[in-house]
Structure formats: structure tokens, C-alpha cells
Amino acid sequence: MPVHRSGTPHRPRLLALGTLLAAFSLLSTLSAPPSSAADTPARGSARMGMGVLAHDGQAGTPTTGDATQTEGVDVSGYQGNVAWSTLWSSGVKWAYTKATEGTYYTNPYFAQQYNGSYNVGMIRGAYHFATPDTTSGATQANYFVDHGGGWSGDGKTLPGTLDIEWNPYGAACYGKTQSAMVSWISSFLAQYKARTGRDAVIYTATSWWSDCTGNYGGFASANPLWIARYASDPGTLPSGWSYYTIWQYTSSGPTVGDHDKFNGGLDRVRALANG
């Protein structure tokens, strides 16, 4: 019969305990979602300017009361039902509403937002959040037009906007080379024009555009620029554009967060709507 001397550890019991703890640790690791997955938002939840603060930060706000600029807002399903009469009374005269994302999402609040802004007297438009890693540009343009992103010459409907910015679901440039990204954008823009007769507006941030398209300047002659920069001025614009048409300057404005300035008076907003 084995004898254990006083002070000598019982090794079999310690080994068993160690094995149990190791197994428990492994099980916990396997059952817990990776931090990157836990931090990734749900597909469809992306919205205009979602990545601006994280990537470019914020540095002040523009001077208010500039008579040469016209206040507007952009909204998505994130805002839910919008108090359009309150925004109208505050001086907001135009609005863009998210219609679609990829080929898998339509905004459930689109009717209230798109029609509600129109009904209080605003000039309105729709935008598409691009996901170049899921389907082609032309396919997404068709999906956009088929689900609210069209255009009509009623004097109160703006051309559709392509929201092309940081990927909230993965790699910032959607896993595409700069030349492949330019090709994807070109495909979307060409199909949108073929379907509507209008050149789409491009919403982007200069830093993203530089990183993901190589600061391509070939769209500037036809497509109006909507620049994203939360600062006292719009800063350096992407290559090719000598001026911006719209500037998203904050995500923390009154009533709804995302506020924008149209580079011109209300007559210029109407001119863009009329084509």
C-alpha cells in the first residue's frame, strides 16, 4: 500500500484538476464570439456617414447663417419616423432618405421619410448604401431604382445618391483593389443613368476616396460631389472636383443628427432637381 509522506502533493489529483481547468478554458473560448464579430453591426444598418467619426474624427462646425448655403438633412431607418414639420420650421429645405443597401435591404421607414419630407414642402431624394463586396455595381443600381431610388422631373425630386464609404462590416475598401473599386463605381453610375436619365450624386469622404480609389478624378465632370467632413470647412476635396455640391458637416445636429449644407441657395437645389 503506497504511503504519501507529509507535505508531498497528491499529483494525480492536481493533474486531474489542471486538465479540468484547461478543458473549461477551451470550451469558453470556443463558445464565445470573436470580438470582431461582436463589434460588427447587422447587415442593413449602415447609414450615410457611419464611419466618419471613427476614421476622420470631428473638428468644429461651420459658421451658421450663410445665405449662400441651404440647410438639409439625410436620414435612414436609424431615425425611424421623422418630425418633418419640426425640421421644416427650423429652416431645413431638402432631405435625402436611405432607400436601399446592397441588394438585400430596403428601409422600412422609407415611405414616411421620403414622402413626409416632400409633403411639408422639401425637395427630396434617395440614396443607396453601396456594398461592393456583395454584388456588381449595375446590379445594385437596378435594385436602388426598383426600390425608391428613381427620379422624376417634378421639380422636387433630386437625383439618386451613391453612398460609397468605409465598409462597416469588414475591410474598409470591401476587399477591392483601387482599380476594381473604380470599375465598380463606374458600373453603378452608368446603370443608374441608363435607368433614370440622370447622373447620380457621389457621397464620400476624401480620405476614403484616396485610399480606396487611388484618388480617381474621372467622375467629377458628370457626378455632383457630396463631401463628408465634420469640421469648420469641407477641407481638401477628392481629385477632379473643384467644388462640392453638398457637404455633410455633422452627425449631431438638431431633430435628426445628420445635417448638410447645399452649396448654393434654394434655387440651386431646385436646379439640381430639375436636371
Side-chain angles (χ1 to χ4, degrees):
M1 180 176 179
V3 176
H4 296 284
R5 295 185 178 89
S6 176
T8 302
H10 195 311
R11 296 189 185 279
R13 182 175 296 174
L14 287 175
L15 287 172
L17 180 59
T19 302
L20 181 62
L21 288 173
F24 180 80
S25 176
L26 178 61
L27 181 62
S28 299
T29 300
L30 292 174
S31 61
S35 59
S36 58
D39 295 340
T40 301
R43 282 274 177 182
S45 64
R47 58 191 183 277
M48 189 173 276
M50 191 173 185
V52 173
L53 285 174
H55 292 270
D56 284 351
Q58 181 168 337
T61 55
T63 303
T64 57
D66 190 337
T68 65
Q69 295 182 323
T70 307
E71 191 76 6
V73 294
D74 58 271
V75 298
S76 68
Y78 178 77
Q79 278 87 14
N81 291 322
V82 175
W84 291 112
S85 58
T86 300
L87 284 165
W88 176 261
S89 298
S90 72
V92 173
K93 300 303 178 188
W94 59 271
Y96 266 91
T97 296
K98 179 182 177 181
T100 51
E101 177 180 321
T103 52
Y104 51 79
Y105 173 87
T106 58
N107 177 6
Y109 293 94
F110 182 76
Q112 192 276 343
Q113 295 174 349
Y114 190 70
N115 297 327
S117 56
Y118 185 95
N119 290 338
V120 299
M122 293 184 191
I123 301 172
R124 52 83 190 271
Y127 79 85
H128 173 79
F129 192 96
T131 57
D133 57 337
T134 59
T135 46
S136 72
T139 299
Q140 291 192 30
N142 284 327
Y143 188 79
F144 178 42
V145 173
D146 292 342
H147 295 87
W151 176 80
S152 60
D154 58 4
K156 292 184 68 177
T157 302
L158 294 158
T161 291
L162 171 64
D163 178 359
I164 185 78
E165 56 176 296
W166 297 279
N167 178 11
Y169 311 118
C173 299
Y174 300 86
K176 291 194 173 295
T177 63
Q178 293 172 342
S179 60
M181 182 63 75
V182 169
S183 295
W184 192 97
I185 295 169
S186 181
S187 173
F188 182 99
L189 298 175
Q191 186 63 13
Y192 185 82
K193 186 167 186 177
R195 290 288 305 273
T196 67
R198 293 299 308 271
D199 289 302
V201 176
I202 295 176
Y203 169 97
T204 195
T206 299
S207 60
W208 183 91
W209 192 262
S210 179
D211 290 342
C212 298
T213 74
N215 206 20
Y216 179 75
F219 301 126
S221 61
N223 301 96
L225 173 65
W226 187 343
I227 192 68
R229 187 169 189 258
Y230 301 166
S232 57
D233 60 70
T236 302
L237 303 181
S239 179
W241 284 282
S242 58
Y243 64 91
Y244 66 89
T245 297
I246 304 173
W247 168 25
Q248 186 191 55
Y249 67 89
T250 186
S251 60
S252 56
T255 308
V256 299
D258 295 351
H259 276 244
D260 312 86
K261 292 187 179 296
F262 193 97
N263 193 7
L266 187 58
D267 61 322
R268 301 313 305 159
V269 184
R270 292 195 186 98
L272 181 60
N274 286 321

